[in-house]
Amino acid sequence: MLRLGLTGGIGSGKSTVASLLATHGARIIDTDALSRATTAAGGTAMPQIAAVFGPDFVQPDGALDRSRMRALAFAEPDARRRLEAIVHPLVRQATDSAARDALESGVRVAVFDVPLLVESGQWAARLDRILVVDCSIPTQIARTTARSGLDEATLRRIIAAQASREARRAAADTVLFNEGLGLADLAREVARAAPHIGL
């Protein structure tokens, strides 16, 4: 089974590319979704988060108060590291389990959708190839503003906290440049790339 890492900056179209790869038979392992599950109500990370950060970071339903945690992580980089030390090992266990399931199911290509693949520094050894979805920063801002309502200043802080476009492209085996493409155009680009990644 080929293990393909998929990454890209916020607003790059990475999730759309993942959906398109799935139509070609890839099994998508969404690490962001697995991470969110650990901090949802009843999530495996929540007891430790409550112990480390205190009850103010737990919503009444038992889930992580994401907005409060986001504000703390921007204000105190050490808080982000403490949160990652709790969540990342749990996400790794979940991704390993999903990969085993894919392998046992006879899947030819497992796509690990990892928003912070380059930033983590831990994924390269676990992957056979890396596909980066790239676009300009103004396009990232325009797309994300349209879908999320976040203001430009907040988005620029998020982008600055992520790996640079240059760093992501340097880590890539394949770069898909998603600038000015409609869905049909993007689907054609994915179809063109599919044979090169075993699909």
Side-chain angles (χ1 to χ4, degrees):
M1 182 178 74
L2 186 139
R3 294 166 177 251
L4 176 71
L6 172 66
T7 195
I10 188 170
S12 64
K14 175 181 61 63
S15 297
T16 303
V17 169
S19 297
L20 291 167
L21 288 168
T23 69
H24 289 273
R27 172 76 60 87
I28 309 301
I29 300 173
D30 185 341
T31 62
D32 211 23
L34 293 172
S35 177
R36 285 195 301 273
T38 70
T39 59
T44 51
M46 290 312 300
Q48 199 173 349
I49 286 173
V52 170
F53 293 97
D56 287 349
F57 288 86
V58 181
Q59 297 184 135
D61 67 354
L64 175 67
D65 186 329
R66 294 183 184 281
S67 60
R68 187 183 288 264
M69 183 60 75
R70 189 180 302 116
L72 180 67
F74 273 123
E76 298 179 23
D78 185 59
R80 180 192 298 255
R81 286 190 287 272
R82 285 183 289 149
L83 179 65
E84 289 172 349
I86 296 168
V87 173
H88 285 184
L90 297 171
V91 173
R92 175 150 191 165
Q93 290 172 16
T95 55
D96 287 348
S97 175
R100 283 193 299 273
D101 181 65
L103 183 62
E104 290 166 5
S105 301
V107 171
R108 286 187 301 138
V109 178
V111 175
F112 294 81
D113 182 343
V114 187
L116 301 180
L117 187 153
V118 174
E119 292 86 339
S120 76
Q122 299 173 9
W123 275 95
R126 301 171 63 191
L127 301 168
D128 299 307
R129 295 181 63 83
I130 294 173
L131 170 62
V132 167
V133 185
D134 185 41
C135 67
S136 70
I137 289 175
T139 296
Q140 288 182 266
I141 291 169
R143 286 177 181 156
T144 311
T145 300
R147 75 168 188 234
S148 72
L150 289 173
D151 63 88
E152 183 172 339
T154 300
L155 285 171
R156 287 194 178 276
R157 285 199 302 274
I158 292 170
I159 290 167
Q162 294 184 341
S164 67
R165 291 177 63 202
E166 293 74 18
R168 276 193 295 269
R169 289 198 301 261
D173 295 292
T174 305
V175 176
L176 199 162
F177 190 53
N178 183 22
E179 185 79 29
L181 300 180
L183 184 57
D185 297 321
L186 185 58
R188 279 191 288 273
E189 290 298 316
V190 170
R192 196 171 292 130
H196 302 290
I197 54 176
L199 290 170

